[in-house]
Amino acid sequence: MGSNLPYAADADSPLRSDELQVLRAQYEKEGEYVGVQTKFNYAWGLIKSSARSEQQEGVRLLSEIFRNAPERRRECLYYLALGNFKLGNYAEAKRYNDKLLDHEPANLQAESLRGLIDEKVAKEGLMGVAILSGVAIAAGVVGGILFRGSKRR
């Protein structure tokens, strides 16, 4: 099943607003009796969005499906991973994606997303090291100035 799915990079293309509106209208029409497929379709559209608030809502809806519909968990894993990735929650994204890869090691879509997650984590890790190094250097300079100033008295 995994080999005919789009690669993770393809998920960056959001639906047009009219397409998302069709999914939203169906979701709202079904109200409190919304079907799992309708909820999933709407959540999928929200995850693909470039608006953070919509992505968050998509992750929330998929989390509900994941908890309440065990037969749909596999379908939810990838989009929960993708949604969390897009939101910058890389540890959560990795957790969901790894769970999917445990069940489907040859899933090209999940493999592609793993690469994107690892790349972001490495990049942000390097940025974190650079920031901490800058803070340490600044603290050393300030400490040196204060230490020198206290010796002159």
Side-chain angles (χ1 to χ4, degrees):
M1 176 173 196
S3 63
N4 64 352
L5 295 172
Y7 287 101
D10 296 337
D12 275 339
S13 54
L15 297 179
R16 293 188 328 261
S17 60
D18 61 319
E19 292 171 322
L20 185 57
Q21 183 53 40
V22 168
L23 297 174
R24 179 180 290 119
Q26 182 62 39
Y27 175 78
E28 290 171 351
K29 178 182 168 191
E30 293 183 25
E32 71 178 86
Y33 301 107
V34 66
V36 174
Q37 187 62 49
T38 299
K39 185 185 273 191
F40 181 87
N41 292 347
Y42 182 45
W44 167 81
L46 292 169
I47 293 290
K48 289 179 63 79
S49 172
S50 51
R52 185 173 178 82
S53 62
E54 290 181 343
Q55 294 166 358
Q56 290 169 325
E57 179 66 5
V59 166
R60 187 188 69 74
L61 292 173
L62 283 171
S63 295
E64 286 177 11
I65 297 169
F66 188 81
R67 277 191 312 274
N68 300 326
E71 71 281 1
R72 301 299 295 266
R73 285 188 178 149
R74 181 266 163 241
E75 292 172 274
C76 291
L77 285 173
Y78 175 75
Y79 288 102
L80 281 166
L82 180 64
N84 278 290
F85 172 77
K86 290 177 80 173
L87 291 168
N89 303 331
Y90 303 125
E92 278 296 290
K94 182 171 176 33
R95 186 172 68 86
Y96 285 117
N97 201 57
D98 285 350
K99 197 176 279 193
L100 176 57
L101 286 167
D102 286 346
H103 296 289
E104 297 180 23
N107 186 316
L108 297 178
Q109 192 179 29
E111 277 296 327
S112 175
L113 183 55
R114 175 191 275 168
L116 293 175
I117 293 168
D118 290 347
E119 187 178 299
K120 282 286 193 181
V121 167
K123 184 178 178 181
E124 291 204 357
L126 289 176
M127 286 175 57
V129 167
I131 290 169
L132 286 177
S133 297
V135 168
I137 290 170
V141 170
V142 169
I145 291 170
L146 292 174
F147 182 72
R148 239 184 297 161
S150 68
K151 278 185 145 183
R152 288 185 184 165
R153 291 181 193 184

